[in-house]
Amino acid sequence: MLANLRLPEILLIVAVVFLLFGAKKLPDMARSLGKSARILKSEAKAMKKESEAERTADSGTASQAPADAAQQAARTIQAAPGDVASSRPVAEPNRANQS
């Protein structure tokens, strides 16, 4: 379906998106889409490492599992350079107990 799009249709779609969202919002939307893709990619890598660690732990090399678990506990989601407001710990502490 997308392969059947020609230049006039693509230009019409771009014009409609530009009119709906405006020139000011499009860079912000692209930036947030890039951040989301980066976070998704890093989480997919973490899940892959986690599953590999579980497979190696099941096969008898359980000595590396505690070190991997400690490393996973300290893992944070990294934001873009200079964007410290959106980086946060994966496991956020319980704020109710910190009075």
Side-chain angles (χ1 to χ4, degrees):
M1 183 169 119
L2 293 177
N4 295 335
L5 291 177
R6 294 180 305 230
L7 186 61
E9 288 94 3
I10 293 173
L11 290 176
L12 181 66
I13 292 171
V14 169
V16 168
V17 168
F18 189 74
L19 288 174
L20 285 176
F21 296 107
K24 291 183 179 181
K25 297 234 180 191
L26 288 176
D28 292 335
M29 290 171 49
R31 193 174 302 116
S32 65
L33 183 64
K35 284 181 184 179
S36 300
R38 257 183 272 136
I39 290 172
L40 180 65
K41 185 178 178 181
S42 68
E43 290 297 321
K45 282 184 181 179
M47 287 176 58
K48 187 176 180 180
K49 282 183 182 179
E50 215 172 77
S51 66
E52 287 175 0
E54 287 176 3
R55 273 189 260 141
T56 57
D58 290 342
S59 65
T61 58
S63 62
Q64 289 181 337
D68 290 338
Q71 183 182 11
Q72 289 293 330
R75 184 171 54 98
T76 59
I77 295 175
Q78 298 296 322
D83 187 18
V84 273
S86 64
S87 66
R88 61 176 174 76
V90 174
E92 294 182 2
N94 188 359
R95 297 181 191 269
N97 294 335
Q98 298 176 355
S99 298

